[in-house]
Structures are given as C-alpha cells and as structure tokens.
Amino acid sequence: MAAALTAARDGRRGANPLVGATIRAAEGRTVTGRHLGAGTAHAEVDAIAAARGAGLDLTTSTLFVTLEPCSHTGRTGPCTEAIRDAGIPEVVFALPDTTEVGGGGQILAEAGVRVRSGLRAEESAELNARWHRATAERRPFVTAKIAQSLDGKVAAADRTSQWITSAASRIHAHSLRGEVDAILIGTGTVSDDDPRLSARGEDGELLDSQPVPVVLGFSDLPAGSTLAANPATVHLRTHDVAAALRELHDRGVRHLLVEGGPRVLGAFFAADAVDEVLCYQAPVLLGPGLPSIAGLDIATLAEAVGLVPDDTDIPAVARLGPDVLLHFTTGGR
C-alpha cells in the first residue's frame, strides 16, 4: 500500500482523486499503476496492464489500491469489471469511495473476490482531503491561478499587466487550461483585458480540449468583447461564490480554474472554496499597483489563510524560465 500511495502522488490534482495501485504476485514481484487525470486509465487498470507486461500471474496476485475500485462507466469502464476479468482473487483498498459511484468493494465481494479495506486509510484520506470535501459539497475542485510580481502585484499602477510573467509560465498556464473543465474570471477582467480564456499551445494553436469560459458578476459583458461574442460563455450574475459553484457543478463542471482578478480571487479564498494554488512568481517589482488578492479582511496574523506546499505532479517549487512556480494546497496533505 505504501507503493500505491507513492504512485498516487504522481497523479494530477483536479476533477479526479489521486489514486495509486500496486499488484503483488504470489512470488513477491510487484508493479504499480496510477491515475493521470480525466479520461486516462484508472490506477487499477494501469497496474493490470503493467502486470501483464511484466508477465505476472494475476490469478494468484493481490491488488492494493488507495481508493475503493469504481463500479461505473464514464470516460473509462468500471474497474470492478477489469479486476474480475483479470482474475485477481484479492483486493485491499485503503479508503471507501463515498461518492455516487462507490460500492465497488461489495460488487467484487459478491463476485467471489476477497476484499479488505482500511489499510493506511488515514494517509489516503489526507492525500485527497480537498477533493473529498469538494465532492461532498457537490461543487467543482477549484484551482486558483495567480501570476504576480515579486512584491505581489498583478498589474502596475496604470493597470498594465501584459506580460508580468514569462513565455515559459504562460505556456505552462495554457497547458493547465487544457486540463480543466472551465475558467472563471470577473466582469472587471473582461473589461480590462478582453480575454479569450482559451487553451493554446506554444505556437498559439488551440489545444484539443477547451475549457468553458465563465464570468462572475452583475455587470453586462462589454459589447464587442470576445467573451460576449462566444456562445459558450457562461455569465453567472452573482457575487455568491457558493451559489456560483453549485450552478457550475449542475452544469457538469468538476474542475474549475479561477484566474482572478484580485477581488474574485479574494472572494474564493474568503469562502474557503480554493483547493489548490498555482502561483507564477516573476522576478520584477511593481511598487504601487494592484495586489494579487483583495478583500480578505484579515486583521491579524492568526487569521491568515494557510497554504501547504504540494509536490504532487509538479514540484512544490519549480523554475519556469526566469519565473518561479509555487504549488500549494489549502490543507490536506
């Protein structure tokens, strides 16, 4: 199970939990698998493929997995069927799946598989604490993206902001856009920047997967703006973060990227609705200007929002050209 937990940390936070799996053959050899994001093979299927490639006898093996195997068909098939078809006689999972697609352990047991649960459950729960909270609250997993100067500004005093960070940071941020279901900004950002909120490659071409553009706020979108002309744009006429997240969940959004500006980011942090933070830090000083986050109303150090360095998928601190990328969760690791 320790190996499965290590494999899980190689995954990507977002719409799906971090899940790892290990298959141990009767003679003691092991292989691992992991889930790398929506649409890719689940950890159990990945491990089964690795076991077959290594020539392991699956009919005398034990599968260890950090989360109860799923029993539903989504972008991929049910893991319970893959386990039964492989002839694996024993499954040990760390944590039960309490979402609507749970119950795989019982299905396996009814099919004659020996099933045990609870091994290193606390570690699995801690690894995915924010994802579990998001699913329990029936809202998307929220990643906050900040691109700022060394002194914490997202724009100069004259509101110019293109480009604070480097091309390397922008390429990385666009790859992130290609992984999420939707991107949210406020009406002020639409007026200031007229963004497209598209996901593009290094040469400017559109990536295959495009997020839904979402605008938060009561003001009408400027006539002639790119987002006003885009029929896919969702305009949520509210400042209520919880209500906005409920509506997006009802629309099928499971991973939301919040790109600001300062008051929108502040509202999401104030609502404790941020699960992951990616901060692109540029080596420039802007002095007076717009702070990256506004409206938190923190009066003393004891009220500070705590962040935890996160080294899943990407290092907690990484170089992107001249910039530094800082990766955090808001607790749960």
Side-chain angles (χ1 to χ4, degrees), residues 91-124:
V91 172
V92 181
F93 63 85
L95 199 69
D97 186 348
T98 57
T99 68
E100 65 273 11
V101 299
Q106 182 177 347
I107 291 172
L108 289 171
E110 291 172 352
V113 177
R114 295 190 300 277
V115 177
R116 291 182 289 153
S117 64
L119 181 62
R120 304 186 79 151
E122 290 185 5
E123 291 169 72
S124 178

mmCIF file of all heavy atoms in Angstrom, residues 91-124:
data_model
loop_
_atom_site.group_PDB
_atom_site.id
_atom_site.type_symbol
_atom_site.label_atom_id
_atom_site.label_comp_id
_atom_site.label_asym_id
_atom_site.label_seq_id
_atom_site.Cartn_x
_atom_site.Cartn_y
_atom_site.Cartn_z
ATOM 1 N N VAL A 91 -8.371 -8.173 -3.233
ATOM 2 C CA VAL A 91 -8.228 -6.721 -3.360
ATOM 3 C C VAL A 91 -8.207 -6.103 -1.966
ATOM 4 O O VAL A 91 -9.056 -6.429 -1.122
ATOM 5 C CB VAL A 91 -9.383 -6.108 -4.186
ATOM 6 C CG1 VAL A 91 -9.330 -4.581 -4.138
ATOM 7 C CG2 VAL A 91 -9.337 -6.604 -5.619
ATOM 8 N N VAL A 92 -7.239 -5.217 -1.747
ATOM 9 C CA VAL A 92 -7.148 -4.465 -0.493
ATOM 10 C C VAL A 92 -7.191 -2.987 -0.859
ATOM 11 O O VAL A 92 -6.347 -2.514 -1.631
ATOM 12 C CB VAL A 92 -5.839 -4.780 0.262
ATOM 13 C CG1 VAL A 92 -5.790 -3.995 1.573
ATOM 14 C CG2 VAL A 92 -5.697 -6.277 0.506
ATOM 15 N N PHE A 93 -8.184 -2.256 -0.357
ATOM 16 C CA PHE A 93 -8.215 -0.813 -0.631
ATOM 17 C C PHE A 93 -8.148 -0.032 0.673
ATOM 18 O O PHE A 93 -8.600 -0.495 1.722
ATOM 19 C CB PHE A 93 -9.427 -0.412 -1.476
ATOM 20 C CG PHE A 93 -10.784 -0.651 -0.864
ATOM 21 C CD1 PHE A 93 -11.365 0.267 -0.008
ATOM 22 C CD2 PHE A 93 -11.505 -1.803 -1.191
ATOM 23 C CE1 PHE A 93 -12.633 0.053 0.523
ATOM 24 C CE2 PHE A 93 -12.766 -2.031 -0.668
ATOM 25 C CZ PHE A 93 -13.330 -1.099 0.199
ATOM 26 N N ALA A 94 -7.577 1.165 0.573
ATOM 27 C CA ALA A 94 -7.354 1.962 1.773
ATOM 28 C C ALA A 94 -8.633 2.632 2.262
ATOM 29 O O ALA A 94 -8.938 2.599 3.454
ATOM 30 C CB ALA A 94 -6.278 3.020 1.494
ATOM 31 N N LEU A 95 -9.352 3.243 1.333
ATOM 32 C CA LEU A 95 -10.450 4.119 1.719
ATOM 33 C C LEU A 95 -11.685 3.824 0.889
ATOM 34 O O LEU A 95 -11.588 3.651 -0.331
ATOM 35 C CB LEU A 95 -10.024 5.578 1.499
ATOM 36 C CG LEU A 95 -10.797 6.673 2.218
ATOM 37 C CD1 LEU A 95 -10.537 6.615 3.719
ATOM 38 C CD2 LEU A 95 -10.382 8.043 1.667
ATOM 39 N N PRO A 96 -12.870 3.741 1.503
ATOM 40 C CA PRO A 96 -14.093 3.545 0.711
ATOM 41 C C PRO A 96 -14.409 4.786 -0.116
ATOM 42 O O PRO A 96 -14.095 5.912 0.274
ATOM 43 C CB PRO A 96 -15.168 3.297 1.770
ATOM 44 C CG PRO A 96 -14.638 3.902 3.022
ATOM 45 C CD PRO A 96 -13.144 3.789 2.955
ATOM 46 N N ASP A 97 -15.024 4.576 -1.264
ATOM 47 C CA ASP A 97 -15.469 5.663 -2.125
ATOM 48 C C ASP A 97 -16.894 6.020 -1.720
ATOM 49 O O ASP A 97 -17.820 5.241 -1.918
ATOM 50 C CB ASP A 97 -15.417 5.224 -3.588
ATOM 51 C CG ASP A 97 -15.734 6.353 -4.552
ATOM 52 O OD1 ASP A 97 -16.219 7.410 -4.102
ATOM 53 O OD2 ASP A 97 -15.497 6.177 -5.760
ATOM 54 N N THR A 98 -17.056 7.209 -1.136
ATOM 55 C CA THR A 98 -18.365 7.611 -0.627
ATOM 56 C C THR A 98 -19.162 8.433 -1.637
ATOM 57 O O THR A 98 -20.230 8.949 -1.306
ATOM 58 C CB THR A 98 -18.195 8.427 0.666
ATOM 59 O OG1 THR A 98 -17.359 9.562 0.397
ATOM 60 C CG2 THR A 98 -17.554 7.588 1.756
ATOM 61 N N THR A 99 -18.658 8.558 -2.870
ATOM 62 C CA THR A 99 -19.402 9.285 -3.889
ATOM 63 C C THR A 99 -20.477 8.385 -4.484
ATOM 64 O O THR A 99 -20.612 7.212 -4.119
ATOM 65 C CB THR A 99 -18.467 9.784 -5.008
ATOM 66 O OG1 THR A 99 -17.965 8.664 -5.742
ATOM 67 C CG2 THR A 99 -17.291 10.560 -4.425
ATOM 68 N N GLU A 100 -21.210 8.928 -5.468
ATOM 69 C CA GLU A 100 -22.310 8.175 -6.069
ATOM 70 C C GLU A 100 -21.829 6.973 -6.875
ATOM 71 O O GLU A 100 -22.632 6.119 -7.254
ATOM 72 C CB GLU A 100 -23.157 9.092 -6.966
ATOM 73 C CG GLU A 100 -22.445 9.652 -8.185
ATOM 74 C CD GLU A 100 -21.698 10.941 -7.894
ATOM 75 O OE1 GLU A 100 -21.559 11.298 -6.710
ATOM 76 O OE2 GLU A 100 -21.257 11.579 -8.854
ATOM 77 N N VAL A 101 -20.523 6.890 -7.150
ATOM 78 C CA VAL A 101 -20.005 5.752 -7.927
ATOM 79 C C VAL A 101 -19.297 4.743 -7.029
ATOM 80 O O VAL A 101 -18.593 3.870 -7.512
ATOM 81 C CB VAL A 101 -19.038 6.237 -9.035
ATOM 82 C CG1 VAL A 101 -19.759 7.159 -9.991
ATOM 83 C CG2 VAL A 101 -17.805 6.921 -8.454
ATOM 84 N N GLY A 102 -19.498 4.835 -5.721
ATOM 85 C CA GLY A 102 -18.878 3.904 -4.786
ATOM 86 C C GLY A 102 -19.576 2.553 -4.788
ATOM 87 O O GLY A 102 -20.497 2.289 -5.563
ATOM 88 N N GLY A 103 -19.123 1.692 -3.887
ATOM 89 C CA GLY A 103 -19.735 0.373 -3.762
ATOM 90 C C GLY A 103 -19.036 -0.723 -4.528
ATOM 91 O O GLY A 103 -19.536 -1.862 -4.598
ATOM 92 N N GLY A 104 -17.868 -0.407 -5.105
ATOM 93 C CA GLY A 104 -17.162 -1.417 -5.874
ATOM 94 C C GLY A 104 -16.686 -2.588 -5.042
ATOM 95 O O GLY A 104 -16.626 -3.724 -5.528
ATOM 96 N N GLY A 105 -16.358 -2.332 -3.774
ATOM 97 C CA GLY A 105 -15.905 -3.418 -2.911
ATOM 98 C C GLY A 105 -16.959 -4.490 -2.734
ATOM 99 O O GLY A 105 -16.657 -5.696 -2.781
ATOM 100 N N GLN A 106 -18.201 -4.078 -2.530
ATOM 101 C CA GLN A 106 -19.286 -5.040 -2.364
ATOM 102 C C GLN A 106 -19.522 -5.832 -3.639
ATOM 103 O O GLN A 106 -19.756 -7.058 -3.597
ATOM 104 C CB GLN A 106 -20.566 -4.321 -1.956
ATOM 105 C CG GLN A 106 -21.743 -5.263 -1.725
ATOM 106 C CD GLN A 106 -22.987 -4.534 -1.246
ATOM 107 O OE1 GLN A 106 -22.926 -3.374 -0.852
ATOM 108 N NE2 GLN A 106 -24.117 -5.218 -1.285
ATOM 109 N N ILE A 107 -19.435 -5.172 -4.782
ATOM 110 C CA ILE A 107 -19.619 -5.862 -6.064
ATOM 111 C C ILE A 107 -18.548 -6.925 -6.251
ATOM 112 O O ILE A 107 -18.821 -8.051 -6.681
ATOM 113 C CB ILE A 107 -19.599 -4.843 -7.221
ATOM 114 C CG1 ILE A 107 -20.849 -3.976 -7.172
ATOM 115 C CG2 ILE A 107 -19.472 -5.542 -8.574
ATOM 116 C CD1 ILE A 107 -20.851 -2.823 -8.145
ATOM 117 N N LEU A 108 -17.312 -6.593 -5.895
ATOM 118 C CA LEU A 108 -16.225 -7.564 -6.018
ATOM 119 C C LEU A 108 -16.423 -8.736 -5.057
ATOM 120 O O LEU A 108 -16.214 -9.901 -5.424
ATOM 121 C CB LEU A 108 -14.884 -6.879 -5.758
ATOM 122 C CG LEU A 108 -14.405 -5.914 -6.852
ATOM 123 C CD1 LEU A 108 -13.186 -5.135 -6.374
ATOM 124 C CD2 LEU A 108 -14.074 -6.678 -8.141
ATOM 125 N N ALA A 109 -16.833 -8.408 -3.824
ATOM 126 C CA ALA A 109 -17.048 -9.470 -2.841
ATOM 127 C C ALA A 109 -18.146 -10.428 -3.300
ATOM 128 O O ALA A 109 -18.027 -11.656 -3.155
ATOM 129 C CB ALA A 109 -17.391 -8.867 -1.484
ATOM 130 N N GLU A 110 -19.217 -9.888 -3.865
ATOM 131 C CA GLU A 110 -20.314 -10.718 -4.356
ATOM 132 C C GLU A 110 -19.870 -11.586 -5.537
ATOM 133 O O GLU A 110 -20.481 -12.628 -5.813
ATOM 134 C CB GLU A 110 -21.495 -9.837 -4.755
ATOM 135 C CG GLU A 110 -22.168 -9.180 -3.557
ATOM 136 C CD GLU A 110 -23.216 -8.159 -3.967
ATOM 137 O OE1 GLU A 110 -23.302 -7.860 -5.183
ATOM 138 O OE2 GLU A 110 -23.933 -7.647 -3.085
ATOM 139 N N ALA A 111 -18.793 -11.141 -6.223
ATOM 140 C CA ALA A 111 -18.275 -11.923 -7.347
ATOM 141 C C ALA A 111 -17.243 -12.951 -6.900
ATOM 142 O O ALA A 111 -16.652 -13.635 -7.737
ATOM 143 C CB ALA A 111 -17.656 -10.984 -8.374
ATOM 144 N N GLY A 112 -17.024 -13.050 -5.574
ATOM 145 C CA GLY A 112 -16.114 -14.045 -5.055
ATOM 146 C C GLY A 112 -14.706 -13.571 -4.803
ATOM 147 O O GLY A 112 -13.821 -14.363 -4.435
ATOM 148 N N VAL A 113 -14.438 -12.279 -4.984
ATOM 149 C CA VAL A 113 -13.110 -11.722 -4.701
ATOM 150 C C VAL A 113 -12.992 -11.467 -3.201
ATOM 151 O O VAL A 113 -13.936 -10.958 -2.573
ATOM 152 C CB VAL A 113 -12.898 -10.403 -5.486
ATOM 153 C CG1 VAL A 113 -11.543 -9.786 -5.149
ATOM 154 C CG2 VAL A 113 -13.024 -10.643 -6.989
ATOM 155 N N ARG A 114 -11.859 -11.813 -2.609
ATOM 156 C CA ARG A 114 -11.603 -11.484 -1.202
ATOM 157 C C ARG A 114 -11.295 -9.983 -1.112
ATOM 158 O O ARG A 114 -10.377 -9.499 -1.778
ATOM 159 C CB ARG A 114 -10.430 -12.297 -0.648
ATOM 160 C CG ARG A 114 -10.697 -13.801 -0.588
ATOM 161 C CD ARG A 114 -9.599 -14.529 0.184
ATOM 162 N NE ARG A 114 -8.281 -14.359 -0.420
ATOM 163 C CZ ARG A 114 -7.818 -15.095 -1.430
ATOM 164 N NH1 ARG A 114 -8.571 -16.057 -1.959
ATOM 165 N NH2 ARG A 114 -6.605 -14.892 -1.913
ATOM 166 N N VAL A 115 -12.049 -9.290 -0.298
ATOM 167 C CA VAL A 115 -11.923 -7.824 -0.219
ATOM 168 C C VAL A 115 -11.652 -7.413 1.214
ATOM 169 O O VAL A 115 -12.361 -7.845 2.143
ATOM 170 C CB VAL A 115 -13.204 -7.136 -0.736
ATOM 171 C CG1 VAL A 115 -13.078 -5.619 -0.587
ATOM 172 C CG2 VAL A 115 -13.462 -7.507 -2.191
ATOM 173 N N ARG A 116 -10.639 -6.591 1.388
ATOM 174 C CA ARG A 116 -10.345 -5.983 2.683
ATOM 175 C C ARG A 116 -10.194 -4.481 2.490
ATOM 176 O O ARG A 116 -9.819 -4.018 1.412
ATOM 177 C CB ARG A 116 -9.063 -6.560 3.286
ATOM 178 C CG ARG A 116 -9.166 -8.021 3.726
ATOM 179 C CD ARG A 116 -7.854 -8.472 4.352
ATOM 180 N NE ARG A 116 -6.801 -8.611 3.355
ATOM 181 C CZ ARG A 116 -5.497 -8.483 3.621
ATOM 182 N NH1 ARG A 116 -5.098 -8.161 4.840
ATOM 183 N NH2 ARG A 116 -4.593 -8.651 2.667
ATOM 184 N N SER A 117 -10.462 -3.729 3.550
ATOM 185 C CA SER A 117 -10.351 -2.271 3.447
ATOM 186 C C SER A 117 -9.785 -1.700 4.733
ATOM 187 O O SER A 117 -9.732 -2.367 5.764
ATOM 188 C CB SER A 117 -11.722 -1.641 3.159
ATOM 189 O OG SER A 117 -12.611 -1.875 4.245
ATOM 190 N N GLY A 118 -9.344 -0.427 4.645
ATOM 191 C CA GLY A 118 -8.886 0.288 5.831
ATOM 192 C C GLY A 118 -7.389 0.379 5.983
ATOM 193 O O GLY A 118 -6.913 1.111 6.862
ATOM 194 N N LEU A 119 -6.602 -0.331 5.157
ATOM 195 C CA LEU A 119 -5.148 -0.293 5.290
ATOM 196 C C LEU A 119 -4.623 1.081 4.870
ATOM 197 O O LEU A 119 -4.811 1.504 3.748
ATOM 198 C CB LEU A 119 -4.517 -1.390 4.421
ATOM 199 C CG LEU A 119 -2.990 -1.498 4.462
ATOM 200 C CD1 LEU A 119 -2.501 -1.835 5.869
ATOM 201 C CD2 LEU A 119 -2.513 -2.566 3.458
ATOM 202 N N ARG A 120 -4.003 1.797 5.809
ATOM 203 C CA ARG A 120 -3.445 3.138 5.605
ATOM 204 C C ARG A 120 -4.497 4.118 5.089
ATOM 205 O O ARG A 120 -4.241 4.997 4.253
ATOM 206 C CB ARG A 120 -2.227 3.072 4.681
ATOM 207 C CG ARG A 120 -1.160 2.114 5.196
ATOM 208 C CD ARG A 120 0.105 2.116 4.400
ATOM 209 N NE ARG A 120 0.942 3.270 4.747
ATOM 210 C CZ ARG A 120 2.282 3.268 4.669
ATOM 211 N NH1 ARG A 120 2.925 2.155 4.289
ATOM 212 N NH2 ARG A 120 2.970 4.333 4.958
ATOM 213 N N ALA A 121 -5.696 3.970 5.652
ATOM 214 C CA ALA A 121 -6.829 4.810 5.223
ATOM 215 C C ALA A 121 -6.584 6.278 5.518
ATOM 216 O O ALA A 121 -6.962 7.155 4.726
ATOM 217 C CB ALA A 121 -8.117 4.343 5.900
ATOM 218 N N GLU A 122 -5.963 6.587 6.662
ATOM 219 C CA GLU A 122 -5.749 7.983 7.022
ATOM 220 C C GLU A 122 -4.858 8.692 6.017
ATOM 221 O O GLU A 122 -5.087 9.857 5.672
ATOM 222 C CB GLU A 122 -5.155 8.088 8.435
ATOM 223 C CG GLU A 122 -6.129 7.711 9.540
ATOM 224 C CD GLU A 122 -5.544 7.932 10.918
ATOM 225 O OE1 GLU A 122 -4.412 8.466 11.011
ATOM 226 O OE2 GLU A 122 -6.212 7.581 11.900
ATOM 227 N N GLU A 123 -3.829 7.992 5.521
ATOM 228 C CA GLU A 123 -2.928 8.612 4.552
ATOM 229 C C GLU A 123 -3.641 8.867 3.227
ATOM 230 O O GLU A 123 -3.435 9.906 2.587
ATOM 231 C CB GLU A 123 -1.704 7.724 4.333
ATOM 232 C CG GLU A 123 -0.787 7.646 5.538
ATOM 233 C CD GLU A 123 0.262 6.568 5.395
ATOM 234 O OE1 GLU A 123 1.189 6.747 4.584
ATOM 235 O OE2 GLU A 123 0.133 5.531 6.078
ATOM 236 N N SER A 124 -4.472 7.926 2.809
ATOM 237 C CA SER A 124 -5.227 8.126 1.579
ATOM 238 C C SER A 124 -6.211 9.283 1.740
ATOM 239 O O SER A 124 -6.377 10.105 0.824
ATOM 240 C CB SER A 124 -5.975 6.845 1.210
ATOM 241 O OG SER A 124 -6.738 7.038 0.041
#
